[in-house]
Structures are given as C-alpha cells and as structure tokens.
Amino acid sequence: MKDFPGTPGTITALVLRVSQCLFAACSIASMATTNNFFSVTAFCYLIASMGLQIIWCSGLAFLDAYALAKKKVLHNHVLVSLFVVGDWVTATLSLAAASASAGVTMLYVADVPSCRVGQECLKYQISVSFAFLSWITIAMSSLLMFWLLAAG
Amino acid sequence: MKDFPGTPGTITALVLRVSQCLFAACSIASMATTNNFFSVTAFCYLIASMGLQIIWCSGLAFLDAYALAKKKVLHNHVLVSLFVVGDWVTATLSLAAASASAGVTMLYVADVPSCRVGQECLKYQISVSFAFLSWITIAMSSLLMFWLLAAG
C-alpha cells in the first residue's frame, strides 16, 4: 500500500484523531451543561453520536501513537478495511447528529421568536459548531482511508 | 479505468440517477404542499437541497442515457473527477438537509406535544423519508465514483 500523510501510523493521522476526540468532547461538554437537552431527541442523539466518536477516535489515536513509537507500519488490507468502515459509519452519524441539532437550534434561535431560551441557545450553538468541526476532521480521515484502500 | 456496474454510462448508473431524481422530487412535493414549511429554516433548506440534487442528477442521467444509446465510454479522468466532486457535495448537502428536517420533525411529532400540527406532521415525515432514500442512492453513486477514480 502507498504511504502518504494521513495514513495510519503517521503524525498527520494522529493529529487528526486527537482533534476529532477534542472537538467531540467540547461538543458534549457544551450540550450536557444545558438544562433541557434531554427533552429534545436531536440533542440526545448528538451526545450519543459524539460519545461513540470519542470511543472510536481515541482507540485509533492510541493505535497511531503505538505505531509511531514502535515504528510499525499499519498498512494491512484487513485493518485498513476495518478503519474505512468504522470511519464512514462514525462520520455519517456525526454529520446527521450535527445537522439535526443545527436544525432544532435554528428553529429555537431564528424561526420561533417565542421559543427563546436565552443563555441555553448560545450553548446549543457552540455544541453544534464543535460537532461540525469534529465531522470535518473525521471526514478528512475517512477520505484518506478510502483512498488508501482503493489505491491498494 | 476499470469497468464495473455503477460506473458512468452503465444501466446501473442510469437507474441510480433516475431514482435519485424521483425520490428528491417526491420529497419536495410532500414538503411544498404543507402550509408552514417556509417558517422553518430546515424545511426551506431541504427543498433547496433536493432542488439542487434534481438538477445535478437529471443532468447526469441524460449523460448516462446518451452514453448508453451511443455506446460511448465516459471513463475520462477529468470527467470522473468532476462527477466525484459533484456527487460528494450533493450527497453531503442532502444528508445534512434530511437530518436537519428530521430533527425538527421529531421535535414536532414526539418532543413537544403542544406543538402538534396534525396532518402536516405526516407530510413532514414522508418528505424526510424520501430525502433519506434520495441520500442513500446518491451515497451509493458517490462511493462507486470515488472507487473508480481511486482505482484508476
């Protein structure tokens, strides 16, 4: 398999994984400190999806760090296929969760003026922004993994 | 470039493109016949996104039909790169629009019982379901195109 920045076991891959974890954690922290997130399905789904992303990305970050420390190459075909499927599933769930929460936040902030929930709205917006940042980084990882698999 | 079902100029590709257009049109029809869609940003975004998808997919469907009729091969590298970028952009926008509308629909249907809007809710649900079907078909096309490009 070809070797380019972003493939498993490189510094770029490790940086991408760590940023995915950080952005997802910030998104959860901002959403979980609101008072009423549990009454909206989309916000609960955002927390579940970001939680799944943290589990997946921290696992891969440890693997990348291990490969870097031991100078191992992780270009096994079966392993890369597993990374591709996992990355695509988490990326799709993240985008869906971020968009669903963005839809509800837009409804609260702009569409229904009687629904204003003050300080809470700012936290919803911060949480959604971090979720989108997290999605952007995992989408980059997914594309790199898929390219690596397809290019053989 | 390799030739497999779903690559430009094959029957599978044409069927996928036509179903994308049909599902997107059904989604717009169901949403546009509600009375209050214009007061919710997510629903307006769904209509805009499905409209863009119809324009893109009908263009590619005509191209596939032309290639099938004239028995031409559309495996030009520049052309496939253009298809990949266009497919990924429309697929991402479709998923985001479908999820945002699903978030708002869930809020109306399940989370806020006082917000019940009766018959309208059914139309929102139908529209969101068609948007997700449309996204599934365009995601399949996108993966096939990306694979074709990466496999060279």
Side-chain angles (χ1 to χ4, degrees), chain A residues 5-89:
Chain A
T7 54
T10 59
I11 293 274
T12 322
L14 183 63
V15 171
L16 276 174
R17 295 293 170 197
V18 172
S19 15
Q20 284 154 28
C21 286
L22 278 179
F23 290 141
C26 291
S27 175
I28 290 182
S30 180
M31 185 58 81
T33 50
T34 61
N35 295 322
N36 295 308
F37 77 88
F38 47 80
S39 64
V40 179
T41 312
F43 294 159
C44 297
Y45 173 44
L46 182 79
I47 289 186
S49 166
M50 289 295 125
L52 176 76
Q53 185 158 323
I54 289 178
I55 295 168
W56 173 254
C57 295
S58 56
L60 290 197
F62 278 118
L63 206 65
D64 280 336
Y66 173 80
L68 271 172
K70 297 274 182 182
K71 292 196 170 40
K72 289 210 175 196
V73 179
L74 295 176
H75 289 188
N76 180 309
H77 201 274
V78 179
L79 210 60
V80 174
S81 307
L82 182 77
F83 293 165
V84 167
V85 175
D87 267 354
W88 278 105
V89 171

Side-chain angles (χ1 to χ4, degrees), chain A residues 86-123:
Chain A
D87 267 354
W88 278 105
V89 171
T90 39
T92 309
L93 291 178
S94 298
L95 176 60
S99 306
S101 304
V104 177
T105 306
M106 275 303 290
L107 188 81
Y108 278 158
V109 174
D111 301 334
V112 190
S114 64
C115 263
R116 290 197 188 288
V117 273
Q119 186 65 23
E120 302 279 281
C121 275
L122 186 65
K123 285 189 180 172

Side-chain angles (χ1 to χ4, degrees), chain B residues 8-76:
Chain B
T10 59
I11 293 274
T12 321
L14 183 63
V15 170
L16 276 173
R17 295 293 170 196
V18 172
S19 17
Q20 285 154 27
C21 286
L22 278 180
F23 290 142
C26 291
S27 176
I28 290 182
S30 181
M31 186 56 83
T33 50
T34 60
N35 295 322
N36 295 310
F37 76 88
F38 46 81
S39 63
V40 179
T41 312
F43 294 158
C44 298
Y45 173 42
L46 182 80
I47 290 186
S49 166
M50 289 295 125
L52 177 76
Q53 185 157 323
I54 290 178
I55 296 170
W56 173 254
C57 296
S58 56
L60 289 197
F62 278 117
L63 205 64
D64 280 336
Y66 173 81
L68 271 171
K70 298 274 180 184
K71 294 192 169 40
K72 290 210 174 194
V73 179
L74 295 177
H75 288 189
N76 180 310

